Amino acid sequence: MSLPTEIDVAIIGAGAAGLGAARALEHSGLSVIVLEARDRIGGRAHTIMAAPSVTFDVGCGWLHSADKNSFVGIAEQLNFEIDRTRPPWREQSFDAGFPFLERMDFIQALDDFYERAEDAATEAASTGRDSAASTCLEPGNRWNPMIDAISTYINGCELDAVSILDMDAYEDSEINWRVRRGYGALIAAYGAPCPLALHCEVTLIDHSGQRVRIETSQGTLTASQVIVTVPTNLIAAEAIRFHPALPAKVDAARGLPLGLADKVMLALDDESNDALPKDGSLRAATMRTATGAFHLRPFGQPCIEGFYGGRFARALEDAGDGALAAQAIDEIVSLLGNDYRRKLKPLAGSRWAHDPFARGSYSHALPGHAAMRAVLAAPVDGRLFFAGEATSPNFFSTAHGARDSGERAAGEVLASSKV
Ligand SMILES: Cc1cc2nc3c(=O)[nH]c(=O)nc-3n(C[C@H](O)[C@H](O)[C@H](O)COP(=O)(O)OP(=O)(O)OC[C@H]3O[C@@H](n4cnc5c(N)ncnc54)[C@H](O)[C@@H]3O)c2cc1C
């Protein structure tokens, strides 16, 4: 769609949040356009075919809290098959380097950590004094580095940067499903009917006049109302500027930075495909934080998906193309044997911190900043509205949380246009 000069509602960003907002407004009678900087929709939801028989979700892959996840019903409506196989995260295939009794000991330590964190959150809520989740680690516990590694996967950062109150606010029903054709593909299909301008990077939102003026890489348009859904790191860095400035939003975004999680997809040769279990799991190291987690043959596909988070993922990105795959292969070889060096071939990987329109993977609240989600979500003057995963009170960091936040912002637009 070419850029109109005037519109009722402009939505900035065609990720799950922006698409959720646009779909919620489709029968409203308002004219709507989604302005997207990339050449595709979906944002941090992106499925690629890494090989003819390997579907790879480079961003979101799991329907977290699936019993409460609005994308489950959408998948059913759109005929996207849902895979309800339990995630293998607590298993170790072949007990490689991590025997059963050790795993049970670790899981106990992890559960104890979460229990202490829950108590600490209750206390923080009553005293008003939030702190870093790392304070809930038991001093000297041998599993602390691995508990921190789990945080790098879940939060995209180590526990010293995670607010206890925010961690406690997340609603995890512990039911996690997948979309066989890819979560990114589902979100792209969900967004397909939305009116859209691609390659359209917004640089300025001027709300000083009667109408909101939006400067983009394709020209200028005016809107009655605007929904902003871009990731927090872009608001924090003022990659999109507001005039007059909105320092409260910039501060809120800085309290909710995106952590980093990166994925790498490795092809398996035919012989090892038969030797490895479908939906198996491996953790390379159990006594350090800088280590990957591996999903063997997801959906039975001939591949291994690796996952890295936090400072280690950042260092691997900074080391340049190929570093993530090389690290993953080294770690798998250390568990399964030298033969795997020739059995594995890098197919694709992510570099979310270097992605100019994401600059990270998903948001976490810094200690003391859990309340910033509500600050970021609050409308300004009945004309500027904010959505995106970081604004979700209980499902932040997820795709369904992002979608639901877009629907919430659309509801606010409708309520304010009736006044
Ligand atoms: C590796 C990884 C694994 C993940 N795993 C899961 C998972 O298993 N389950 C889950 O639920 N979630 C997961 N997530 C998180 C999930 O993908 C995100 O929370 C969700 O997709 C965010 O949606 P959003 O609409 O808030 O933001 P985005 O998807 O980032 O959408 C924002 C859009 O704004 C656009 N944009 C940015 N700047 C501009 C500009 N100046 N002008 C115009 N457009 C702009 C961007 O290009 C983007 O399309 C994962 C993410 C990553 C990176």
Side-chain angles (χ1 to χ4, degrees):
M1 184 170 169
S2 64
L3 203 64
T5 52
E6 290 190 356
I7 200 89
D8 291 328
V9 184
I11 299 171
I12 322 289
L19 300 173
R23 291 300 307 263
L25 291 172
E26 72 189 349
H27 303 300
S28 65
L30 297 170
S31 60
V32 173
I33 189 158
V34 186
L35 307 174
E36 169 56 50
R38 299 178 198 266
D39 60 0
R40 62 167 180 85
I41 63 173
R44 284 171 273 165
H46 185 36
T47 305
I48 62 167
M49 291 312 292
S53 53
V54 178
T55 309
F56 178 27
D57 267 316
V58 185
C60 56
W62 291 92
L63 293 153
H64 290 313
S65 297
D67 52 335
K68 298 175 179 175
N69 186 317
S70 52
F71 274 121
V72 169
I74 292 167
E76 283 162 355
Q77 271 169 25
L78 294 176
N79 282 322
F80 275 70
E81 183 196 336
I82 292 175
D83 184 295
R84 291 175 168 79
T85 310
R86 279 169 66 93
W89 300 323
R90 291 192 162 199
E91 292 158 26
Q92 179 86 349
S93 299
F94 315 114
D95 282 350
F98 196 19
F100 178 75
L101 289 178
E102 289 282 280
R103 281 203 314 277
M104 291 303 103
D105 200 41
F106 165 66
I107 286 166
Q108 188 60 55
L110 186 65
D111 290 346
D112 291 348
F113 163 77
Y114 280 122
E115 231 167 79
R116 284 192 298 276
E118 215 177 299
D119 292 347
T122 309
E123 199 183 320
S126 70
T127 60
R129 277 196 304 274
D130 190 14
S131 42
S134 53
T135 59
C136 299
L137 291 169
E138 186 182 55
N141 190 305
R142 69 176 179 135
W143 296 114
N144 286 348
M146 198 165 170
I147 296 173
D148 223 10
I150 303 287
S151 172
T152 69
Y153 310 142
I154 295 177
N155 302 302
C157 67
E158 287 72 5
L159 290 163
D160 57 359
V162 178
S163 147
I164 286 180
L165 280 173
D166 197 54
M167 195 170 88
D168 189 62
Y170 183 78
E171 226 177 287
D172 185 2
S173 71
E174 296 188 15
I175 298 178
N176 299 285
W177 295 337
R178 282 171 298 166
V179 183
R180 179 61 188 89
R181 280 152 60 198
Y183 205 165
L186 169 66
I187 292 174
Y190 168 70
C194 298
L196 185 73
L198 293 175
H199 295 292
C200 186
E201 180 179 356
V202 173
T203 49
L204 177 72
I205 299 172
D206 179 348
H207 56 114
S208 60
Q210 216 173 15
R211 288 179 62 75
V212 183
R213 201 170 62 83
I214 303 165
E215 283 182 13
T216 82
S217 52
Q218 288 194 29
T220 300
L221 73 160
T222 69
S224 310
Q225 291 165 309
V226 176
I227 302 177
V228 180
T229 76
V230 301
T232 50
N233 282 4
L234 283 105
I235 296 176
E238 300 188 64
I240 291 189
R241 284 185 307 114
F242 294 92
H243 177 72
L246 297 176
K249 296 293 182 192
V250 174
D251 279 356
R254 287 181 181 160
L256 303 167
L258 301 195
L260 185 59
D262 273 317
K263 293 185 188 175
V264 59
M265 186 58 95
L266 306 170
L268 266 176
D269 68 6
D270 289 345
E271 180 198 338
S272 18
N273 193 40
D274 294 336
L276 297 183
K278 172 176 176 289
D279 288 313
S281 174
L282 287 176
R283 273 170 216 293
T286 54
M287 292 299 160
R288 60 170 201 262
T289 304
T291 182
F294 301 97
H295 192 148
L296 310 184
R297 299 182 56 222
F299 304 114
Q301 300 181 126
C303 60
I304 298 181
E305 185 182 291
F307 200 88
Y308 288 85
R311 291 177 197 126
F312 192 43
R314 207 166 289 274
L316 289 168
E317 271 201 31
D318 290 345
D321 278 340
L324 193 63
Q327 177 67 27
I329 291 173
D330 282 350
E331 291 187 10
I332 294 166
V333 163
S334 76
L335 292 167
L336 299 182
N338 245 330
D339 280 1
Y340 275 84
R341 202 169 286 288
R342 64 172 172 79
K343 292 177 175 182
L344 292 167
K345 294 267 170 305
L347 288 176
S350 65
R351 298 187 80 205
W352 286 106
H354 284 79
D355 178 322
F357 302 117
R359 302 191 188 183
S361 299
Y362 28 82
S363 69
H364 59 96
L366 296 173
H369 293 264
M372 293 298 117
R373 297 202 185 274
V375 174
L376 186 63
V380 174
D381 291 339
R383 295 198 302 168
L384 303 184
F385 301 85
F386 292 81
E389 54 88 6
T391 68
S392 168
N394 313 99
F395 291 129
F396 45 82
S397 76
T398 70
H400 67 290
R403 196 212 69 87
D404 296 355
S405 78
E407 200 167 80
R408 182 258 310 144
E412 291 167 353
V413 164
L414 291 174
S416 77
S417 36
K418 280 193 197 117
V419 177

